[in-house]
Amino acid sequence: MSLPCASVPEDAIGQLSCFRTELYACLTARGDALFELTDALLCTEGPVRTLVDLALAPEHRRSHGALYGGLNQGRIDIARLQRALTGLPLPRAADGRLVLAVDVSPWLRPDANTCPDRSFCHTFGRGEGKHQMVPGWPYSFVAALEAGRTSWTAVLDAVRLEPGADVAAVTAVQLREVVDRLIAAGQWQEGDHEVLVVLDAGYDGPRIALLLAGLPVQIMSRLRSDRVMRRPTPSRVYDPKGGRPPKHGGEFIFGDASTWGAEQAVTSTDTRLYGKATAQAWDRLHPRLTRRAAWLKHDGPLPIIEGTVIRLVVEKLPSGGVNKPVWLWWSGTGATEADVDRCWQSFLRRFDIEHTFRLFKQTLGWTKPRLRSSEAADRWTWLVIAAYAQLRLGRPLATDLRRPWEKPAPPNKLTPARIRRGFRNLYTKTGSPAGAPKPSHPGPGRPPGSKNRHPATQHDVGRVLATGEAFSRPAHHNVGTKPRRGTLPPHPRTEGSHPFGFDCSIA
């Protein structure tokens, strides 16, 4: 089902008004304060620097205390809001299929010792040590990608990763729920192309493909250049000496061209940025699994997960960086030249979600609030997602209020930040379902000069040992000391890193 309106209007104003009404219905506690906070986020001019500044916007008719009260004590029906986002018109690829991108973006809180549920987040490009582990709240986002060069995506879901979470297992559950909602909303029907899910390095693509078996999805992930794959199991031949038959074929070493053999398909495409792009594909390759890490407690024999390996090489790089080949793994087999081109071009579109993260952090101020509760951080994250969805619905209605130094852009090419400049004009057309504030007086608070006799509890950053058990510091280390950040090996996922080697990091 789509939005629970009697009939979703065809005009853009009707769609935007209908979504705003449904958003207000999703705010089950302190809804007026949360809804006006979202309007202030959309209508405030310039980037959001601090959370309390939003209380000064004309659209926020309440005090700054109501702003923080809504985030700390409010409630949001997340399931209903997820269904509302899924029921909106979604972008599709040129062939009509849905392309989903999954990525993790951190909300860094290195000095927030009183905040619970913090994990070590991998960051890139911070100071001289490019790879660092900084405490914070990592969020896993799922977004639908558009075709062509654009900075727009359609964010469908966000999940905060708990300390020590199995990223592949959490991602698989998140994707399964998103695909089920897409099917229930009529976004995918029997006979349509399978949904393509694009993952960056750091995700175990074959394992996620196995966990999503039975769903109409295809998985495509980037692989490290030092991987070794195996060919299909050879035909069993009688051996008079006996012995167990082999389970895996010969090795396919990414760094050794002598082991590649003949390609399944080869394509060559002229691109505007990279010059000539050549893609080679080898069919029915699989990783050799061992009983360790995630496969330690797997029941039965280890599976053989076959797919297609694609090697992409470009002629040049726009920034003049190191030109390295990109290795991709696609869960499908029997790839044609059209499949190979669609796969690597869809993978490059995955980096559009980096523009969404940059908008969330630099313009909408997603990581600006210094909230103590992780539940309040979740509420603020969903308000930012809801605000971004309204910007997407306002694309055909916005007027280009460009700066004198900016180039004119057609209405369908406006960026989210430029549409936000004129959202105050759309706000007057759609109206607000929030009720008027009631007169009130602030409480007395703590008497001046008195000390806080109930200090907040300090929490260690969530760490998990190699055995899977939670880390606990010895008791004698907790006396008179502050929580330590600790050290963990760097996560293989690098937010903002470009597949061909040059840096496109975001703030």
Side-chain angles (χ1 to χ4, degrees), residues 103-143:
D103 206 349
V104 176
S105 185
W107 183 342
L108 301 182
R109 301 301 307 275
D111 300 324
N113 297 329
T114 59
C115 292
D117 303 328
R118 289 185 303 160
S119 304
F120 282 97
C121 305
H122 177 257
T123 59
F124 180 81
R126 297 175 60 86
E128 296 181 358
K130 293 186 176 181
H131 299 273
Q132 296 182 3
M133 303 299 290
V134 181
W137 291 316
Y139 280 84
S140 174
F141 290 87
V142 177

Side-chain angles (χ1 to χ4, degrees), residues 220-462:
M220 185 179 60
S221 62
R222 181 164 64 151
L223 301 175
R224 299 193 313 268
S225 59
D226 59 351
R227 290 290 298 269
V228 177
M229 289 285 180
R230 290 301 187 102
R231 300 187 183 277
T233 305
S235 302
R236 185 172 182 178
V237 180
Y238 173 73
D239 187 357
K241 297 182 180 179
R244 185 175 60 183
K247 295 183 179 180
H248 308 277
E251 291 184 339
F252 184 95
I253 305 174
F254 289 5
D256 187 0
S258 62
T259 62
W260 297 350
E263 306 92 337
Q264 175 78 13
V266 180
T267 64
S268 182
T269 307
D270 292 329
T271 62
R272 185 181 65 88
L273 291 177
Y274 307 111
K276 184 178 181 181
T278 303
Q280 303 167 274
W282 291 268
D283 194 23
R284 296 188 63 189
L285 297 178
H286 65 272
R288 181 177 180 177
L289 305 179
T290 57
R291 288 197 179 275
R292 61 186 181 90
W295 303 101
L296 185 62
K297 299 180 180 179
H298 181 78
D299 297 333
L302 295 177
I304 295 178
I305 311 172
E306 292 186 340
T308 301
V309 172
I310 301 174
R311 181 178 183 266
L312 177 62
V313 180
V314 298
E315 184 179 2
K316 61 180 181 179
L317 296 180
S319 63
V322 180
N323 192 354
K324 299 180 181 179
V326 176
W327 292 90
L328 305 174
W329 184 88
W330 179 50
S331 61
T333 56
T336 61
E337 294 184 356
D339 294 331
V340 174
D341 280 338
R342 182 180 67 251
C343 285
W344 72 262
Q345 292 176 11
S346 298
F347 175 77
L348 294 185
R349 293 270 61 80
R350 191 211 69 84
F351 288 88
D352 294 341
I353 198 173
E354 304 290 351
H355 297 287
T356 302
F357 292 156
R358 182 173 59 183
L359 175 79
F360 280 10
K361 294 181 179 181
Q362 297 184 359
T363 303
L364 300 182
W366 171 46
T367 59
K368 295 298 182 181
R370 296 297 181 255
L371 302 174
R372 177 180 299 176
S373 171
S374 56
E375 290 78 10
D378 294 342
R379 297 186 193 101
W380 173 246
T381 300
W382 279 106
L383 292 182
V384 173
I385 294 175
Y388 179 69
Q390 295 181 56
L391 292 177
R392 191 164 59 87
L393 292 175
R395 292 175 67 181
L397 304 170
T399 304
D400 186 14
L401 304 179
R402 66 184 183 90
R403 302 290 187 258
W405 54 85
E406 293 176 343
K407 296 181 179 179
N412 59 339
K413 295 295 184 181
L414 294 179
T415 62
R418 292 173 74 163
I419 289 182
R420 179 172 173 263
R421 294 175 188 169
F423 195 85
R424 181 166 286 168
N425 300 329
L426 302 180
Y427 170 82
T428 58
K429 299 179 181 179
T430 58
S432 174
K438 299 179 181 179
S440 61
H441 299 281
R446 192 168 69 240
S450 62
K451 296 182 179 180
N452 182 13
R453 301 183 182 277
H454 301 281
T457 305
Q458 296 190 359
H459 301 272
D460 265 325
V461 182

